[in-house]
Amino acid sequence: MPEHRWRRPAGERLCGRCLVEPFSFHEVRTPLIYRDEIRRLVQRFKAEAHLPSAQLLVALFLEASLVGENGVPDALIGVPRHPVRARRFGFDQGQWLACELGRRLGVPVRRAWRRRDDRPQHELGSRARRRIASGMFGIASGLPRHVALVDDVMTTGATLERLAQACRRAGARRVDAWALARTPPPWLC
């Protein structure tokens, strides 16, 4: 498998899309499943900026063996909200998560930006998510060798994929994807 392709954790099954089109990141860490109480905590964090919910999620994330065999990355990058949306909600949850994880792990945080304010991802199907994510992100060049992208929920991976591609263009050689939770795979529903 090429160095830049996603490596699945032992015992994890891949969906058909991942078998046909592997991601650009090396490793994905999504220790929580986005359902029941985890879903409620994430929604409170995103919609209400409820920091106690976010701090609990971050603690659970770190407790679930976050750092893989390749150690801590050189920098964290939060998946950014568009500035208009961040102002409307009062904060940028991806940046907040990256800063909180960076503080707890002693890792610097770099900032990316979203170029367009598209429809919310939860309103789109997987094909539309992949289509609109193209060219969505910018990041300053000169990234360190190993970075980890930080997001709240991974659904199709399209957003993380596009940000990973932007990071590679900006100089990162290894890009990992970290999300607090993932939507349940079909075999868990």
Side-chain angles (χ1 to χ4, degrees):
M1 191 172 273
E3 179 189 64
H4 69 280
R5 293 298 182 190
W6 177 71
R7 220 170 15 102
R8 76 171 187 235
E12 286 283 322
R13 296 191 301 180
L14 295 179
C15 69
R17 186 236 176 243
C18 293
L19 289 169
V20 174
E21 292 180 61
F23 288 112
S24 303
F25 16 90
H26 283 74
E27 190 172 74
V28 177
R29 295 285 174 172
T30 57
L32 306 171
I33 301 294
Y34 185 68
R35 63 180 176 197
D36 305 326
E37 190 58 35
I38 297 299
R39 181 181 180 145
R40 286 187 285 281
L41 288 168
V42 170
Q43 288 174 342
R44 283 195 74 194
F45 168 52
K46 285 177 80 163
E48 303 169 27
H50 190 254
L51 296 186
S53 294
Q55 289 165 338
L56 176 57
L57 288 163
V58 167
L60 291 169
F61 183 70
L62 289 171
E63 182 69 25
S65 306
L66 169 69
V67 180
E69 62 190 45
N70 295 298
V72 176
D74 301 317
L76 299 177
I77 301 165
V79 174
R81 273 185 168 164
H82 189 272
V84 170
R85 199 167 302 232
R87 277 191 300 277
R88 185 171 18 151
F89 283 93
F91 78 118
D92 182 331
Q93 85 272 6
Q95 188 66 25
W96 187 93
L97 288 170
C99 289
E100 181 65 13
L101 285 166
R103 183 183 67 76
R104 292 186 188 200
L105 295 170
V107 176
V109 176
R110 297 285 299 266
R111 189 177 284 273
W113 61 89
R114 194 176 284 254
R115 292 186 170 132
R116 298 186 312 262
D117 185 17
D118 292 315
R119 286 176 45 199
Q121 296 284 305
H122 68 271
E123 295 177 4
L124 303 172
S126 61
R127 186 172 296 172
R129 286 174 190 237
R130 286 193 296 275
R131 187 177 59 250
I132 69 157
S134 180
M136 180 181 284
F137 297 106
I139 189 159
S141 62
L143 285 181
R145 180 172 174 73
H146 180 192
V147 301
L149 311 178
V150 180
D151 204 2
D152 52 4
V153 178
M154 180 177 175
T155 303
T156 64
T159 300
L160 288 161
E161 172 69 13
R162 295 306 184 253
L163 185 51
Q165 291 170 358
C167 289
R168 288 190 173 283
R169 288 190 299 272
R173 305 306 322 141
R174 177 185 172 90
V175 180
D176 294 337
W178 294 356
L180 297 177
R182 67 175 180 221
T183 54
W187 58 87
L188 288 181
C189 295

